[in-house]
């Protein structure tokens, strides 16, 4: 068996991760006033997995990125057929255009919100000191990080740092599973010791590299078919157990005493077990059975738009609701949730189709004549 030209199922999985973050951030609408209880979120019982644990989708993003980058770029970078200019310009042409647009939208929206309500919406650190790091996509590289401007951009900032580390490693050391595991453990140390966001990315991204190494080994050894079958059952069991646990009323992982003492523990299970095994299962299944995720892969195309546009759209919703004099309880209504997604999904498609893809092609055509 050979790897497919594109992992459609993984693209769809990335889109689900982006939607999970949107649900997790629904709490933004309740930051002014009381912290929202279960009844404050529309269809809370049904979407509990996303409302309660959607923040873990960031680890899923990083793990997926690690798998894809080790699949596509590790060997060409090590063989020096892909240079730093080509690699980084391709990444920046993908990430920067929408980043600049959403940064401008948030600045304008926060000015309007501050004028109307006398404070900023959710993220208060919207000053020059935080603007420059946001603009340059380095805001989450150090310690003492504060969310500011388009808050979700922090993970994109971490991704940029991970690309740098990834490229240097591929150029300087043999890529072995033990090396990737060691870098992942180093990320765990950075996160546990200094609460550095980049540590969060290192853990998952290089675990994703380990997953790709396991995938490549399975193809080379001829074990892919049997492994795909066995892992499918294991993945189904893990997700069934996870869903059963989350929807059991007595189960609240973040409230367990040991999780309160060590918040990092609450993320370890999904990061080191559930997400890697799911990614490996989907990759092997698609390799064996063909592109079964093709029809939903568009969610992956829209994932970056969904991720960066949802906070500016939340800001716009909060402004409109305020101007109309509606109570903030409006955001507890299913109508608000449906309306939000009815706007967000087409807006993300427009962004991808008419901003991201044309800007990417233009930049690559100008800066990479062969791109």
């Amino acid at each position: 068996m050979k790897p497919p030209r594109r992992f459609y199922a993984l693209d769809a999985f990335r889109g689900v991760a982006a939607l999970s973050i949107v649900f997790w951030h629904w709490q933004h609408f309740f930051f002014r006033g009381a912290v929202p209880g279960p009844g404050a979120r529309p269809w809370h019982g049904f979407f509990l997995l996303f409302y309660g644990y959607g923040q873990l989708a960031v680890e899923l993003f990083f793990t997926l990125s690690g798998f894809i980058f080790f699949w596509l770029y590790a060997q060409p970078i090590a063989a020096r057929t892909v240079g730093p200019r080509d690699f980084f310009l391709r990444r920046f042409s993908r990430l920067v255009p929408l980043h600049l647009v959403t940064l401008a939208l948030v600045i304008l929206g926060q000015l309007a919100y501050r004028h109307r309500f006398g404070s900023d919406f959710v993220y208060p650190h919207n000053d020059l000191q935080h603007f420059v790091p946001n603009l340059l996509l380095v805001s989450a590289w150090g310690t003492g990080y504060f969310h500011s401007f388009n808050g979700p951009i922090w993970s994109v900032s971490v991704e940029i740092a991970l690309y740098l580390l990834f490229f240097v490693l591929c150029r300087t050391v043999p890529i072995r599973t033990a090396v990737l595991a060691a870098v992942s453990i180093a990320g765990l140390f950075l996160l546990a010791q200094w609460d550095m966001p980049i540590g969060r990315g290192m853990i998952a991204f290089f675990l994703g590299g380990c997953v790709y190494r396991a995938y490549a080994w399975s193809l080379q050894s001829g074990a892919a078919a049997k492994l795909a079958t066995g892992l499918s059952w294991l993945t189904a069991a893990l997700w069934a157990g996870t869903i059963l646990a989350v929807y059991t009323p007595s189960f609240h992982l973040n409230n367990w005493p040991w999780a309160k003492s060590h918040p990092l523990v609450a993320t370890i299970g999904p990061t080191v077990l559930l997400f890697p095994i799911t990614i490996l299962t989907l990759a092997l299944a698609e390799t064996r059975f063909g592109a079964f995720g093709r029809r939903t892969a568009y969610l992956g195309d829209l994932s970056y738009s969904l991720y960066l546009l949802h906070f500016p759209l939340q800001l716009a919703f909060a402004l409109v609701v305020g101007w109309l004099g509606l109570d903030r309880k409006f955001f507890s209504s299913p109508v608000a949730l449906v309306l939000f997604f009815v706007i967000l999904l087409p807006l993300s498609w427009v962004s991808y189709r008419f901003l991201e893809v044309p800007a990417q092609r233009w930049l690559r055509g100008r800066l990479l004549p062969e791109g």
Side-chain angles (χ1 to χ4, degrees):
M1 289 190 291
K2 296 173 61 177
R5 296 184 63 182
R6 176 179 175 182
F7 288 103
Y8 292 100
L10 296 186
D11 284 339
F13 202 24
R14 187 171 68 248
V16 172
L19 292 173
S20 300
I21 295 293
V22 178
F23 277 100
W24 167 252
H25 282 161
W26 198 258
Q27 62 185 298
H28 286 167
F29 290 122
F30 303 94
F31 270 35
R32 293 179 73 247
V35 176
R41 298 178 175 97
W43 290 315
H44 179 268
F46 186 78
F47 291 115
L48 177 60
L49 180 66
F50 305 112
Y51 283 132
Y53 302 95
Q55 78 276 22
L56 297 180
V58 174
E59 272 69 25
L60 177 55
F61 274 132
F62 289 141
T63 311
L64 284 166
S65 291
F67 181 94
I68 296 299
F69 274 77
F70 278 93
W71 167 47
L72 292 177
Y73 291 112
Q75 186 174 350
I77 290 173
R80 298 181 182 271
T81 57
V82 171
R85 182 173 181 268
D86 181 80
F87 177 74
F88 287 105
L89 285 178
R90 285 181 179 276
R91 300 318 306 151
F92 276 85
S93 69
R94 176 70 181 98
L95 299 175
V96 169
L98 183 59
H99 160 58
L100 296 178
V101 169
T102 53
L103 179 60
L105 289 174
V106 168
I107 290 172
L108 294 175
Q110 291 286 26
L111 287 173
Y113 193 90
R114 193 180 306 151
H115 176 74
R116 176 68 176 80
F117 297 105
S119 63
D120 290 336
F121 179 67
V122 183
Y123 305 123
H125 303 282
N126 302 310
D127 50 29
L128 183 61
Q129 177 184 349
H130 293 87
F131 171 76
V132 175
N134 268 273
L135 178 66
L136 300 178
L137 288 173
V138 297
S139 58
W141 283 21
T143 59
Y145 171 71
F146 294 101
H147 289 289
S148 56
F149 293 96
N150 192 10
I153 201 67
W154 76 268
S155 67
V156 182
S157 171
V158 169
E159 283 263 356
I160 298 296
L162 294 173
Y163 297 157
L164 289 167
L165 180 55
F166 166 76
F167 190 92
V168 170
L169 281 175
C170 290
R171 274 294 176 89
T172 57
V173 300
I175 299 301
R176 301 285 186 268
T177 303
V179 173
L180 305 185
V183 178
S184 183
I185 292 170
L188 179 63
F189 175 79
L190 293 176
L191 185 60
Q193 188 70 24
W194 293 295
D195 197 26
M196 294 179 66
I198 191 168
R200 190 173 171 184
M202 288 169 62
I203 296 168
F205 185 90
F206 289 95
L207 275 178
C210 292
V211 174
Y212 173 71
R213 295 277 299 171
Y215 170 80
W217 169 84
S218 71
L219 297 187
Q220 293 167 3
S221 66
K226 291 184 178 179
L227 195 58
T229 301
L231 282 178
S232 295
W233 286 106
L234 176 59
T235 301
L238 286 173
W239 276 104
T242 298
I243 292 171
L244 179 63
V246 169
Y247 286 90
T248 299
S250 60
F251 182 88
H252 297 288
L253 180 60
N254 292 325
N255 292 328
W256 290 11
W258 48 269
K260 283 185 175 181
S261 301
H262 305 282
L264 181 61
V265 173
T267 71
I268 292 299
T271 303
V272 305
L273 184 64
L274 181 62
F275 296 155
I277 289 177
T278 303
I279 291 169
L280 181 56
T281 301
L282 291 174
L284 286 171
E286 193 154 17
T287 303
R288 183 181 180 188
F289 300 111
F292 61 86
R294 188 189 300 268
R295 292 185 178 181
T296 54
Y298 68 92
L299 286 173
D301 295 334
L302 302 185
S303 61
Y304 189 57
S305 302
L306 290 167
Y307 189 68
L308 284 197
L309 284 170
H310 79 270
F311 180 73
L313 184 60
Q314 285 185 329
L315 180 52
F317 262 60
L319 276 168
V320 170
V321 166
W323 284 332
L324 293 176
L326 298 177
D327 190 277
R328 194 162 290 260
K329 291 181 179 179
F330 169 75
F331 294 113
S332 300
S333 166
V335 173
L337 186 68
V338 171
L339 181 61
F340 188 84
F341 277 103
V342 163
I343 296 175
L344 178 62
L345 288 168
L347 184 63
S348 297
W349 181 84
V350 169
S351 169
Y352 176 76
R353 178 69 177 81
F354 296 104
L355 170 61
E356 296 168 61
V357 171
Q360 182 175 286
R361 288 175 178 169
W362 185 83
L363 288 169
R364 291 181 180 181
R366 294 290 296 259
L367 301 175
L368 298 168
E370 297 180 0

